[in-house]
Amino acid sequence: MAATTTPPSIELDARAALAAAAGRRVAVACSSGRDSMALLHAAARMAAQEGGEVVALHVHHGLSAQADAWLALVQAQCERWSAQGWPVRLLWRHLALAPEAGDSVEAVAREGRYKALAEMAQEAGCSAVLLAHHRRDQAETFLLQALRGAGVAGLAAMPPVADRHGVTWLRPWLNQPREHIEAYVAQHAVSYVDDDSNTDGRFARNRLRLDVWPALQQAFGDAEQVLAQAASHQADLLACLNDWLGERLPAVTSMIDGPDGLARQALLVSDWSAWADGPRRELLRAWFKQATGRAMPASWVQRLHREVLDGASRRWPLALPAQGKLGRLDGELVLYRGLLTWRDRSNAVGDLRAMVSAAAQAPLRLRIDQPGRVALPAGWGELMVQPVEREGVPLAWLQDCELAPRQGGERFQMAQGRSARSLKKQFQMQGVPAWAREGPLVWANGQLVFVPGLGVDARAWAEPGQAQVQISWKPSAHS
């Protein structure tokens, strides 16, 4: 039976997350389940005591017959808390998911959920979203990734802080055992619902949770804590690996012009082959991720590691199915004169590059005086302009700005206090794939303001209290 008194650490962790959000308005992802309702209650209660506002974000997937009831519970609870003076309100969105044959329903729903949550957070002016994952969730994720044969990135499981879709995701309870959350719910009589899909054995996490976890915990009473610690260790190793790759990958790669006129990131086989087996495989994985935006399957890592070292010129056709937000990958790996490159069968990036080059001699002047979608001419797609409370560009700057392609020599500053670096270096450090680097740059007041894949330059960040916006870029539909 769960304890009836909440351990102090659970409220301290929630309070620390609110402080880390660095704003007076914070969002909480709320499914109406026990954990997320507890976190929403804790955040709203603390905001009432210490000042601020909490925005509950709910995604209606439409995948369960109970989905309407889940939404109704969150609505009723937010209205009740608001009536008693707590600064909380609700935003929700309905998703029309249409998984294709072979797609993972879990993956499609998860990607759609995170995208919807990020869009709602930005609409509400929240730069951070709190998630209610706890230590048991972390331990389960580590086990699932291990059973899938994941590497360091997968075994690192869920990070306590992550930047994705233009917002910061915070998991304040990642070190809290499930029992502490149960105690909080019991003490404060927080209402919640149980998801009926949690007993569906078609889903891997449910099979682990229902069939494996009870036996594992009975045999190893500290399994949850130990596995979560193992995930934390892998996260430390991942940070070290990323730093190492950031230093070493540029030395074994180079941007070259292909026979079709497209710039490609090539792996320099002679420099790459000088490393030992383990580092070579990691460099191969990192190069492929930058060149394509996708992770190289383990079987292909082993195959290419062996066959590329032979040095003979050859081609390897490779097609990968769509995965989450990533579309189907279809192309070939080409080894020629000591250079390994990726060639996509689609000319989408080439078409976009050609359109950008055609306009290179005449930067396009823009006037943006309010948030929203900004359609761009010349096939450049569109900009999404969203209001934010921090780390945005002053909206006033965009009333007279310019759109231009990369010319070479531009430098970008990721955050205040950091050094400005070349775009190539920043793209490499942030893991931006080659195909995602072709979007137009935004300039204002003689300052580089926005770079697709990197965001708003820190030197253009607005002062506190200024009307400010974040920018994102979407290529045109045909590209």
Side-chain angles (χ1 to χ4, degrees):
M1 178 178 297
T4 57
T5 301
T6 303
S9 60
I10 198 167
E11 296 186 2
L12 290 175
D13 284 348
R15 182 175 283 106
L18 291 178
R24 294 186 59 81
R25 183 182 297 124
V26 67
V28 177
C30 186
S31 66
S32 78
R34 179 195 60 235
D35 305 332
S36 63
M37 289 300 292
L39 182 57
L40 179 60
H41 179 278
R45 187 164 67 93
M46 291 175 188
Q49 295 171 354
E50 303 177 9
E53 180 186 4
V54 173
V55 182
L57 307 178
H58 179 81
V59 177
H60 186 305
H61 291 94
L63 297 175
S64 170
Q66 299 184 44
D68 290 340
W70 299 342
L71 172 59
L73 184 141
V74 181
Q75 286 177 319
Q77 191 64 79
C78 287
E79 290 173 359
R80 187 176 303 115
W81 290 336
S82 180
Q84 69 186 44
W86 288 10
V88 60
R89 60 188 176 96
L90 171 68
L91 290 179
W92 69 278
R93 181 167 297 181
H94 184 277
L95 292 186
L97 297 176
E100 298 180 1
D103 285 348
S104 164
V105 176
E106 289 177 290
V108 172
R110 179 171 58 251
E111 181 58 35
R113 179 169 62 253
Y114 274 103
K115 182 179 180 181
L117 290 171
E119 290 175 351
M120 287 190 288
Q122 291 170 341
E123 290 170 8
C126 299
S127 60
V129 179
L130 307 190
L131 302 169
H133 297 114
H134 49 71
R135 194 173 70 184
R136 177 78 60 83
D137 296 323
Q138 185 77 318
E140 291 173 351
T141 301
F142 177 87
L143 275 179
L144 286 170
Q145 292 291 349
L147 292 170
R148 292 166 180 158
V152 175
L155 295 176
M158 297 180 289
V161 181
D163 293 317
R164 185 185 184 197
H165 291 308
V167 299
T168 299
W169 306 86
L170 302 172
R171 295 181 172 93
W173 286 347
L174 205 54
N175 292 319
Q176 293 289 344
R178 174 178 172 173
E179 291 76 14
H180 287 186
I181 299 174
E182 291 173 341
Y184 185 94
V185 168
Q187 180 177 345
H188 296 282
V190 178
S191 299
Y192 66 92
V193 296
D194 284 315
D195 187 343
D196 55 337
S197 68
N198 287 339
T199 59
D200 190 337
R202 292 177 299 173
F203 301 128
R205 187 176 291 272
N206 289 347
R207 294 196 299 275
L208 175 66
R209 186 172 292 167
L210 299 173
D211 301 332
V212 178
W213 192 262
L216 180 64
Q217 196 167 35
Q218 183 175 4
F220 303 94
D222 60 350
E224 176 182 309
Q225 180 178 357
V226 170
L227 292 173
Q229 288 174 346
S232 179
H233 185 195
Q234 294 298 310
D236 290 343
L237 292 177
L238 178 61
C240 295
L241 176 61
N242 287 339
D243 283 347
W244 182 82
L245 288 171
E247 294 179 358
R248 302 302 181 183
L249 188 61
V252 298
T253 60
S254 178
M255 293 300 294
I256 64 169
D257 289 327
D260 52 6
L262 299 184
R264 293 188 174 88
Q265 187 180 47
L267 184 69
L268 308 176
V269 175
S270 60
D271 295 317
W272 169 76
S273 62
W275 289 93
D277 288 354
R280 268 202 307 264
R281 283 189 286 268
E282 290 301 330
L283 288 166
L284 180 62
R285 290 185 179 98
W287 163 77
F288 186 79
K289 182 69 177 291
Q290 284 200 357
T292 70
R294 299 287 296 271
M296 181 179 286
S299 60
W300 275 90
V301 173
Q302 297 300 326
R303 176 181 176 181
L304 288 173
H305 181 254
R306 180 180 65 254
E307 296 179 0
V308 170
L309 284 173
D310 291 343
S313 297
R314 59 178 299 180
R315 301 169 183 263
W316 295 267
L318 174 60
L320 298 177
Q323 183 181 36
K325 68 176 181 178
L326 301 174
R328 175 180 168 81
L329 185 69
D330 188 6
E332 61 181 0
L333 293 147
V334 180
L335 177 59
Y336 180 67
R337 292 185 175 179
L339 301 176
L340 181 65
T341 59
W342 168 258
R343 297 181 185 176
D344 199 298
R345 298 187 193 279
S346 167
N347 287 324
V349 174
D351 292 342
L352 176 62
R353 187 180 181 87
M355 287 183 288
V356 171
S357 297
Q361 302 304 317
L364 180 68
R365 300 191 72 84
L366 285 179
R367 177 181 176 84
I368 302 173
D369 52 18
Q370 62 183 359
R373 295 181 183 273
V374 180
L376 305 177
W380 277 0
E382 61 182 11
L383 297 178
M384 172 65 77
V385 181
Q386 298 281 1
V388 293
E389 293 188 344
R390 64 187 181 98
E391 300 181 5
V393 60
L395 182 58
W397 282 27
L398 301 182
Q399 293 183 11
D400 184 13
C401 60
E402 289 185 348
L403 202 69
R406 289 172 60 189
Q407 299 292 331
E410 297 93 349
R411 299 178 70 81
F412 185 91
Q413 184 172 325
M414 289 298 301
Q416 292 177 349
R418 297 187 187 179
S419 300
R421 298 174 180 267
S422 69
L423 293 190
K424 178 180 178 181
K425 182 67 173 178
Q426 295 288 23
F427 283 140
Q428 291 172 338
M429 293 179 66
Q430 299 302 315
V432 179
W435 53 264
R437 304 178 184 184
E438 301 297 337
L441 312 182
V442 178
W443 294 78
N445 295 340
Q447 166 66 49
L448 178 60
V449 168
F450 167 75
V451 177
L454 298 178
V456 172
D457 191 297
R459 293 168 295 184
W461 287 357
E463 296 293 332
Q466 279 187 294
Q468 54 189 283
V469 293
Q470 185 59 259
I471 306 173
S472 59
W473 173 71
K474 180 181 179 182
S476 57
H478 69 272
S479 62

